[in-house]
Amino acid sequence: MSTAATENWDREVDVIIMGAGAAGMTAAIVSKNEGLVPLVLEKTDQVGGTSAWSVGMMWFVDSAPMQAAGFKDSFDKARKYFAGTVGTSVDASLQEAYIREGREALNYMLRNSELEVVAVDYPDYHPELEGGMFGRAHAPLEFDARKLGPHFKTLRAPLPAFAPFGGMMLDLVDLLHFLSFTKSARSFVHVMKRFLRYGVDRLSYHRGTRLVGGNALIARLYKTILDRQIEIWLRSSATRLIVDDGTVIGAEVVRDSRTIRVRARRGVVIATGGYPGSREMRQENSRKPTVELTLGLPDNVGEGIRLGVSAGGRLDHNAEDTGFYVPTSVLSSETGDKVLWGHFMLDRPKPGFIAVGKDGNRFTNEAASYHAFTLGMFDAGAIPAYLIADAAAVKKYGIGVILPGSLSLRRYEKAGYLFSGRTLAELAGKIGVDPSGLERSVARNNQFAVTGVDADFGKGSSAYNIYKGDPTHSPNPCLGPIERGPFYAVKLMPGDFGTSRGLVTGSRGEVLDHENRPISGLYACGNDMNSPVGGHYIGAGITLGPALTFGYLTAMAIAGSGQTKVGGEVSVPSSSPSKVHIA
């Protein structure tokens, strides 16, 4: 621990914000709107983080958009849902802050930024529990990236799975039209309009300018930051926190290989996105066996959390689950590149699909949420698992990276991604699964497909399951026969799209020390703070909802701290040069 003089600053601002994802951008916008001077540090050369790769959903309670759409919600209703899903694994004050303040954060951003959202008729992941309902998921409206001008290039592009054809973004409505464009004149026109717009875009831009999902969310926040002239330093990372007599007063920042000392008159916000890219932190803090595959940003290696710990903070260890999980398959190209596909909803819940372990037996409800399904893999020891379907189901719904209606599957088999067999026994031999177990599981599934009732795991028995199934299929939208070869399989491994174990904070994002006392001047939000749902996945948007909520709360807390009125002006107390150290 070395000492340093407080006068030796290269730059002074009110707030240093580490990370330009949804949480950090929200904190920056609120800080600026409340009269402060924020500085955003982004270690990469593009803004958005993992938020830009997401579907962009945000989970809020009884919001104005929900009320406008006719959804009936209340704080009490949400508390009951939290009691049944999160329980006591998270401090009650943190849960309450998210439930009550989430809608205030959203309303604030709707008034004071380019953010526009709609409450979606989408179920909580356990709608059968008391307090569960439809409507709490909020989706950002699409955004025209041409409004960003030259800054469009510094917006992180979506994952290729969300932007096929080299950069043409598609939402769920688009996907449904693509599946029907040869059968419906309306869908054909819709698809042609999308291609026309995309073709015109590529004459002038590096990818399509129609943005949806998380890319639209980040673009809207980015547009606000640009309009408000909030300073963002790209390729800049805080490497040390500067602490004066127990208060965090600044940071040493490496910017383009140069070390700069930046004073933060009011506070430092850690919002670097957790540690999905750190194998070391995963091994230390994640489930055993360690989840190896992530759809999170590889650059997010936990440096923000480590800085928080160095200043006296600590990680939460109450929750067993430390990530937001999704079953993942991997396609390896001839060049050695790997494409990771998260099996969120397009295949598992559909009729004609089952998942089995090495013994050939089903182990969980395939239509459960991606998080719950992956927990089922852990609990049953089904690692790897295999997603099984026949040719008819693969043609109609696709499987993994393979789109519906694909004319040739040979290249996927050649790459070792897809396995096939003329019989179930032949398929079982290729994937190393017990053939008798697989045949029994398929036979039992086919019985359930006739009755419409999955007597083993309840596939298609909840409103959430049914939402993810095929509404045109009966008697159960999630159950269909697997009966005519060739039969197919894709290997599934546990993956995640972010970590949920983070720094212990108070209800306004203030980082707490080992005695549960706030560390003055230090805050955390996004995946750097411990999740207010404690690693449980209770609904769509349970990462981005807290990101906006606590980004807002931390900024409001900082804006309300350390002020003394002098002659009608705000004066900030200066720091003493004593007891300064580098954390």
Side-chain angles (χ1 to χ4, degrees), residues 286-509:
S286 299
R287 272 183 173 261
K288 306 296 183 292
T290 302
V291 175
E292 300 286 351
L293 303 176
T294 183
L295 298 176
L297 197 67
D299 292 296
N300 294 352
V301 294
E303 64 265 57
I305 291 176
R306 285 195 289 267
L307 285 176
V309 170
S310 75
R314 71 186 196 278
L315 269 71
D316 183 90
H317 289 277
N318 290 326
E320 178 183 8
D321 299 323
T322 59
F324 299 113
Y325 303 124
V326 59
T328 305
S329 55
V330 182
L331 171 64
S332 299
S333 68
E334 294 179 355
T335 61
D337 294 332
K338 292 184 178 182
V339 176
L340 272 59
W341 180 270
H343 293 252
F344 288 99
M345 61 175 286
L346 296 179
D347 45 27
R348 290 182 298 107
K350 298 298 189 290
F353 288 85
I354 62 171
V356 301
K358 283 287 189 179
D359 57 5
N361 295 324
R362 291 175 67 211
F363 54 87
T364 194
N365 177 354
E366 295 89 351
S369 75
Y370 33 90
H371 184 81
F373 179 91
T374 312
L375 293 181
M377 294 175 67
F378 282 119
D379 293 343
I383 302 173
Y386 291 89
L387 190 61
I388 308 293
D390 63 11
V394 171
K395 182 177 181 180
K396 186 172 184 179
Y397 304 110
I399 183 170
V401 301
I402 303 169
L403 297 176
S406 295
L407 298 178
S408 175
L409 304 180
R410 186 176 301 276
R411 74 181 183 95
Y412 298 103
E413 293 190 61
K414 184 178 178 181
Y417 179 78
L418 183 71
F419 302 87
S420 69
R422 291 166 297 175
T423 65
L424 290 170
E426 182 182 353
L427 177 65
K430 289 185 177 181
I431 60 178
V433 163
D434 179 70
S436 59
L438 179 59
E439 289 173 345
R440 284 195 306 271
S441 295
V442 169
R444 192 156 176 81
N445 168 80
N446 293 349
Q447 294 173 2
F448 299 156
V450 174
T451 64
V453 178
D454 175 5
D456 292 338
F457 297 102
K459 186 181 183 185
S461 61
S462 77
Y464 174 80
N465 286 186
I466 292 170
Y467 187 93
K468 294 297 181 72
D470 180 351
T472 68
H473 183 86
S474 62
N476 186 321
C478 301
L479 295 176
I482 302 171
E483 50 191 2
R484 292 187 179 88
F487 301 97
Y488 294 101
V490 167
K491 179 181 176 180
L492 303 179
M493 292 294 289
D496 67 29
F497 50 95
T499 53
S500 60
R501 172 169 288 168
L503 295 165
V504 177
T505 70
S507 59
R508 300 185 73 78

Side-chain angles (χ1 to χ4, degrees), residues 31-115:
S31 297
K32 179 73 171 183
N33 194 64
E34 295 300 311
L36 303 182
V37 178
L39 171 64
V40 181
L41 307 177
E42 170 54 48
K43 68 179 290 188
T44 71
D45 58 1
Q46 292 181 311
V47 303
T50 303
S51 303
W53 285 355
S54 71
V55 296
M57 291 285 198
M58 296 160 280
W59 195 93
F60 297 111
V61 174
D62 197 26
S63 68
M66 290 179 68
Q67 295 166 11
F71 295 109
K72 305 296 183 184
D73 196 9
S74 69
F75 294 145
D76 284 341
K77 193 173 182 178
R79 291 186 190 105
K80 292 175 182 176
Y81 186 58
F82 262 64
T85 53
V86 179
T88 59
S89 62
V90 176
D91 183 80
S93 66
L94 205 63
Q95 297 185 42
E96 183 68 11
Y98 180 36
I99 291 171
R100 292 191 63 89
E101 302 292 340
R103 74 174 187 183
E104 296 304 319
L106 176 62
N107 290 343
Y108 184 100
M109 295 299 289
L110 293 175
R111 292 192 307 267
N112 296 291
S113 77
E114 291 290 319
L115 182 62

